[in-house]
């Protein structure tokens, strides 16, 4: 028995927006990037546990099999963090734009890039929130083969999700909180 039709997008949008009204993270007056600056080292360590590495390998394999991630693919990693996804994607031959507001996360990403010999031609870093990105003005609309966002609080409402799709020519990957 369905309580509401599963294919009705407006119901899902309304449920999402109603849930956002009760989100305790939205009521705090803290700078999100400063919060992530403080958490950067712990976050990076957690992204390298055996379970996290296995999950990463499964997802990268799935994206490769789907044709979403290939050598020379143009990838936008929204909320790139410490490079958990951007670095292996670049190692696979993709050209990645890593969008990340936290300076602490970016420092770890730069260290990983240096350690692996990955240059700015393979991963271009932009320190910016997803909400502040203007796709048209920044030349990002429809530019990417894959737009990727994993556990990113910046994709936080229907508008920011639609923006992901607008940046993509073909594929989007979204893994988020529920």
């Amino acid at each position: 028995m369905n309580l509401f039709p599963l294919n009705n997008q407006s119901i899902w949008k309304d449920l999402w927006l109603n849930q956002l009204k009760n989100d305790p993270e939205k009521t705090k007056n803290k700078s999100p990037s400063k919060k992530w600056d403080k958490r950067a080292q712990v976050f990076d360590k957690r992204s390298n546990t055996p379970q996290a590495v296995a999950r990463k390998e499964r997802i990268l394999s799935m994206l490769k099999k789907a044709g979403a991630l290939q050598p020379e693919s143009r990838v936008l990693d929204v909320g790139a963090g410490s490079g958990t996804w951007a670095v292996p994607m670049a190692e696979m031959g993709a050209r990645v734009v890593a969008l990340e507001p936290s300076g602490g996360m970016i420092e770890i990403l730069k260290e990983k890039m240096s350690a692996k010999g990955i240059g700015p031609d393979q991963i271009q870093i932009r320190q910016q929130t997803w909400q502040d990105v203007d796709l048209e003005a920044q030349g990002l609309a429809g530019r990417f083969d894959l737009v990727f966002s994993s556990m990113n609080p910046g994709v936080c409402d229907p508008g920011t999700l639609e923006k992901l799709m607008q940046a993509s020519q073909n594929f989007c990957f979204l893994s988020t909180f529920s």
Side-chain angles (χ1 to χ4, degrees):
M1 168 172 69
N2 283 334
L3 299 177
F4 50 85
L6 296 176
N7 61 352
N8 185 334
Q9 291 182 12
S10 67
I11 289 174
W12 292 106
K13 185 175 181 178
D14 291 344
L15 286 170
W16 193 355
L17 292 172
N18 285 334
Q19 185 61 35
L20 287 174
K21 290 177 190 173
N22 300 319
D23 184 355
E25 288 293 316
K26 300 289 181 200
T27 60
K28 294 180 183 175
N29 259 345
K30 292 184 179 176
S31 166
S33 61
K34 287 188 173 138
K35 175 177 87 173
W36 288 106
D37 287 347
K38 292 177 184 175
R39 294 181 176 177
Q41 293 291 335
V42 171
F43 175 86
D44 186 58
K45 188 175 181 180
R46 276 196 343 230
S47 71
N48 290 303
T49 65
Q51 299 87 352
V53 170
R55 176 180 180 264
K56 184 174 16 178
E57 289 171 358
R58 284 191 310 272
I59 290 171
L60 291 171
S61 176
M62 176 197 69
L63 291 170
K64 188 175 178 181
K65 285 179 188 172
L69 184 59
Q70 301 177 28
E72 299 302 321
S73 289
R74 292 163 300 172
V75 177
L76 175 62
D77 184 357
V78 179
S82 61
T84 300
W85 299 97
V87 169
M89 288 177 179
E91 289 177 317
M92 294 171 75
R95 303 287 181 225
V96 181
V97 173
L99 187 71
E100 174 56 47
S102 166
M105 293 286 196
I106 289 172
E107 287 307 312
I108 295 171
L109 171 55
K110 287 179 178 178
E111 289 169 11
K112 287 180 181 180
M113 289 171 62
S114 177
K116 296 200 176 253
I118 296 172
D121 58 320
Q122 293 170 280
I123 298 178
Q124 178 190 109
I125 300 170
R126 293 188 182 197
Q127 188 169 4
Q128 190 174 21
T129 67
W130 183 233
Q131 290 85 348
D132 291 338
V133 169
D134 182 330
L135 293 176
E136 293 297 329
Q138 293 176 259
L140 302 176
R143 179 174 158 203
F144 298 95
D145 301 305
L146 170 63
V147 177
F148 186 92
S149 180
S150 178
M151 307 310 282
N152 170 17
V155 181
C156 57
D157 58 37
T160 53
L161 175 60
E162 289 171 12
K163 194 184 215 180
L164 285 180
M165 293 184 283
Q166 293 167 359
S168 179
Q169 287 184 2
N170 207 1
F171 293 96
C172 285
F173 175 90
L174 174 65
S175 173
T176 191
F177 311 94
S178 61

